[in-house]
Amino acid sequence: MRPMTAGTSARPTLLTALSAFSALLLATACTSDDGKEPAKGSDAPASSGATTGAGPADGGSGDGGAGGDSDKGDGGDTSKPLSSPQLERSALATGDLPGFQVSSGKSALAPAGQPAADTPTCQPLADAMGDAPSPRAKSTVNRGLGSVKNVGLAVSASVSAYSEADAVKLMDGLKKAVGACGKGFTATLQGRSGSYREVKESPFTTKGADETVSWTAVGTNEGVATPVHLVVVRQGATVARFMALDLARRVPPRVPREVADKQLAKVGQVRAG
């Protein structure tokens, strides 16, 4: 994903724009692939499929707590996992959000798989930067978003199907990891390592979510520090994951609330038929 201007596509080609490892993680999160193996040390099966903070960002607001509004507006059974075609239809597309361009498709530069954390407790945070929020996903569809209005704001967004029990377990693991990994951790993906420090909970509200976990961190590779903001939301058996970077390095990145709200709204529309 590159800094966006009108007429460009939000493709995940950050290797020359950011520190190498942070670029790899975002590139992975912004693309789709099949047949992933679980991270080292994980007991989860391989995933399959296509594969706010304190203030507003790009017009969104970051007020509220860890939960979401009770009005889901879908009329469907949220405990039932969405099929792969349903996930594809529910994924964000250009035209869904004014001021954003959306891309899909596999970048040749994007590695595959789940980063492996050096500390098991922090593995859920590393997983959240991989191909899926956790390797237990039945199917995942990923998109990359670039802001036309705030050039430099890059957001990866994914929507995944789980069993509802696995979705709840995922959120519990993230909550514990955010609380336990404040001093940071190191993650490795395809032989490349990067450290993540200053892991901090960051309140975020998403309309329609049963649960929301939001945190910020600073990724460091070869002396280059890259702030990131991650948000994972659950609605029944569906999990949406967002990661924001500011390629222009002007302000701490925040996932715009309207991006998360729109993603869950599309999930509800598809579920309702």
Side-chain angles (χ1 to χ4, degrees):
M1 195 181 310
R2 297 174 298 209
M4 299 300 301
T5 57
T8 64
S9 61
R11 295 198 179 277
T13 55
L14 297 184
L15 293 181
T16 59
L18 293 174
S19 63
F21 190 62
S22 294
L24 283 172
L25 295 186
L26 185 59
T28 303
C30 284
T31 58
S32 59
D33 202 2
D34 294 321
K36 303 302 177 295
E37 295 297 325
K40 182 178 179 181
S42 172
D43 62 354
S47 64
S48 63
T51 150
T52 158
D58 204 36
S61 63
D63 57 334
D69 297 334
S70 59
D71 180 16
K72 294 182 176 58
D74 51 65
D77 182 1
T78 64
S79 68
K80 182 179 179 180
L82 297 178
S83 66
S84 294
Q86 285 177 313
L87 285 178
E88 191 66 41
R89 294 199 302 273
S90 70
L92 294 172
T94 296
D96 286 339
L97 289 159
F100 287 91
Q101 293 178 334
V102 182
S103 73
S104 61
K106 181 71 175 177
S107 168
L109 297 176
Q114 299 297 115
D118 61 342
T119 304
T121 303
C122 302
Q123 185 60 45
L125 303 184
D127 281 337
M129 298 180 186
D131 288 329
S134 91
R136 290 185 179 275
K138 296 177 180 293
S139 185
T140 296
V141 174
N142 292 280
R143 294 291 185 262
L145 288 79
S147 173
V148 176
K149 181 168 59 178
N150 289 346
V151 176
L153 176 63
V155 182
S156 67
S158 74
V159 59
S160 301
Y162 291 81
S163 69
E164 188 169 29
D166 281 344
V168 171
K169 183 177 180 179
L170 181 159
M171 301 300 285
D172 288 344
L174 285 173
K175 292 172 187 175
K176 293 176 182 177
V178 170
C181 300
K183 293 183 179 180
F185 63 97
T186 297
T188 302
L189 178 63
Q190 293 190 352
R192 305 186 73 173
S193 295
S195 64
Y196 285 82
R197 55 185 174 82
E198 299 181 31
V199 177
K200 299 178 182 178
E201 182 180 1
S202 180
F204 192 95
T205 300
T206 309
K207 185 177 181 181
D210 294 325
E211 296 182 89
T212 300
V213 182
S214 169
W215 70 98
T216 57
V218 177
T220 303
N221 179 265
E222 298 181 353
V224 179
T226 304
V228 295
H229 178 214
L230 292 101
V231 176
V232 180
V233 300
R234 181 181 71 85
Q235 186 184 85
T238 303
V239 173
R241 179 266 320 271
F242 311 92
M243 181 166 64
L245 296 170
D246 183 358
L247 309 188
R249 299 178 181 274
R250 294 170 300 184
V251 296
R254 290 292 183 269
V255 174
R257 178 174 171 175
E258 65 263 34
V259 172
D261 285 350
K262 182 62 177 182
Q263 179 61 86
L264 282 200
K266 286 197 72 174
V267 168
Q269 291 166 3
V270 169
R271 186 186 293 112

